[in-house]
Each structure stands twice: as structure tokens, then as C-alpha cells.
Amino acid sequence: MRRLFPSPLSPADLEDREWGLDELAGLYAYPDDLPAGSAWLRANMVSSLDGAAHHEGRSQPLSSAADMRIFGTLRGLADAVVVGAETVRQEGYRPARAREAFAARRAALGQGPAPVIAVVSAGLDLDFSLPLFTSPLLPTVVLTGAAAPRERVEAARAAGAEVIVAGEGRGVDPARVPVLLAERGLTRLLTEGGPRLLGQFAAARVLDEMCLSLAPVVATGTAPRIMAGPPLAVPERFALGSVLEEGGFLFTSYRRI
């Protein structure tokens, strides 16, 4: 892996070597000067050269070993991983696990042993018998609307999930998600999509950072882009924060201006 940005670059930056978790954690550290009561919402997605967010419903065919190291690092730094219900179903989400490599860092920041998984779902069409709900290290959070099916809300709670109402109707107001999680002390947020949820966050202008892995592959097909939401009247600008490269993959981070 080589660091291509930011400058100035040293010879060590351009050397193709495996980065340690401490180096990656330092590069991807969350801001430490957030205003009280606010959260930082970071997204992590992978895309093919032609803009596909997945191949045959899964992101794994677009990924690589380096991409998974960064994926693990971003999870290791987060208080909560926010994900849409369709992605939970498609990707077979399991509880986040505690990792010894991040234990001291998390303890120093007052974090739990692993990030909370927070699922955004209007209809709560989820299998609450899965380990994501029955055996996480920390209770899984489900964010839904006030008009969500009552029997599904009760099923989520019976499985041990914490249900948070984040919308007045059936669906979730994406702008309320970071606020409600911050109220519970979950301020370092990571969303892994899918495209519809990420598009909603972007349209609500609450997405602070985009970590995008660009895979050197072409997928074609009908897969969506990494964001699929309502259009912005004025496109929002992001500034390039960092670029890493390994095996033709580019690992970028952008922060909202």
C-alpha cells in the first residue's frame, strides 16, 4: 500500500508495503473537536470503475484484502455502524466483534468493546432470530418511524433490540439519525449503505465524510451507484482528504466543505 495524498510525501509513503492497523487508524481518526451533542457521519463504500455499488447483490466481488483491512479499521474506530435493512438482508450482517488490536484505543476513548449496529428500517422486515439481534456484544439498535407496524416493533424489542423512533410517519427522517444516536453517546458514526440509505443521508446534508474504495474492475449490469436518493438542488462539495493505493485499488476519503 502506498500513500499518494496528502502531500508532502516521503520515500516511506511511496514504498509499497502493508500498513499496520495503527497507521490506518491514525489516518482515519475521527475529528476530536466535535461540538457537544453532535455526531460525525462517515460513509464507507466500494465502487467499480463503471460506478457499480455491488455485483449480483453483494459488495464482496468488488473488494480486496486491502479494502477489507480499511473496512475493519473504520469499524474499529466507530461507535456505531448505521446500515439499511436491505443491506442487512443482502450482506447477511452479523454483530460487530471486539478486536484486540483496537481494545486499548477504544478504552481510552470511552468506547464499548465493539461498535453498535444500528439498522434503519421502515417496515422492520427483519429476521429477529439472527445473531445480529440475539447475541451482539452491545444491543443492536433499530431506527424506524412512529407508524411502523406495532407487532414488528414488539418483535424487535423481544429479541433484545433497542427501538428508536426517528420519523413521524412510517419511514425514518435521515436528518434525525445522527442526532438521536449522539444523544445516546454514539457520536463516531459509520454508514455502510446501502445506496438508498446513503443517498438519503447525502440529500439531508448530514453526510460529513465519504470513504470510497475504487476497484479496478468493470461490472456493467444494472447495479445502482453508491448513492440512490433524491437529487440535491445544488451539488454538495467535498474536499479530498487522503488517497492510498494498493494493487490498482484507490482508497480515498473526502470531507464535506
Side-chain angles (χ1 to χ4, degrees):
M1 181 175 288
R2 301 178 297 152
R3 181 167 74 93
L4 306 181
F5 187 85
S7 299
L9 299 174
S10 69
D13 290 323
L14 297 175
E15 180 185 348
D16 193 3
R17 59 183 175 81
E18 182 172 324
W19 279 41
L21 290 181
D22 282 343
E23 289 178 287
L24 289 173
L27 181 69
Y28 288 104
Y30 280 84
D32 57 8
D33 57 351
L34 293 179
S38 66
W40 183 270
L41 179 59
R42 159 188 286 166
N44 180 36
M45 297 288 280
V46 63
S47 170
S48 68
L49 292 176
D50 55 320
H54 56 68
H55 181 64
E56 296 183 344
R58 293 178 61 83
S59 59
Q60 190 278 331
L62 305 181
S63 187
S64 69
D67 182 50
M68 293 309 297
R69 287 202 306 275
I70 292 173
F71 171 89
T73 298
L74 297 180
R75 278 200 164 198
L77 298 174
D79 293 331
V81 176
V82 187
V83 64
E86 182 62 22
T87 298
V88 168
R89 292 187 289 265
Q90 290 281 350
E91 301 282 353
Y93 262 61
R94 297 184 62 82
R97 60 188 179 90
R99 298 183 62 190
E100 183 62 31
F102 292 96
R105 183 184 294 267
R106 294 184 68 87
L109 293 172
Q111 296 175 294
V116 171
I117 304 295
V119 183
V120 177
S121 177
L124 302 182
D125 182 17
L126 298 160
D127 184 350
F128 294 118
S129 69
L130 294 176
L132 177 61
F133 301 100
T134 61
S135 57
L137 285 174
L138 298 170
T140 294
V141 169
V142 176
L143 298 121
T144 191
R150 182 53 46 192
E151 70 278 5
R152 299 305 296 162
V153 172
E154 293 172 355
R157 288 179 172 146
E162 178 185 359
V163 179
I164 299 176
V165 174
E168 299 305 321
R170 182 181 175 91
V172 169
D173 177 357
R176 293 179 62 180
V177 171
V179 175
L180 291 169
L181 292 176
E183 288 177 355
R184 287 157 175 80
L186 305 173
T187 62
R188 303 172 186 89
L189 306 180
L190 170 66
T191 181
E192 297 170 351
R196 185 169 61 177
L197 178 61
L198 185 51
Q200 291 172 346
F201 282 141
R205 299 185 184 273
V206 294
L207 181 64
D208 298 298
E209 183 179 359
M210 181 73 233
C211 295
L212 175 64
S213 298
L214 184 63
V217 299
V218 172
T220 71
T222 59
R225 296 165 19 182
I226 62 167
M227 296 189 196
L232 289 166
V234 178
E236 192 158 33
R237 290 293 303 273
F238 283 65
L240 182 63
S242 65
V243 181
L244 301 175
E245 183 275 336
E246 180 173 308
F249 282 77
L250 294 178
F251 306 104
T252 69
S253 69
Y254 292 83
R255 292 191 173 190
R256 182 159 51 112
I257 297 175

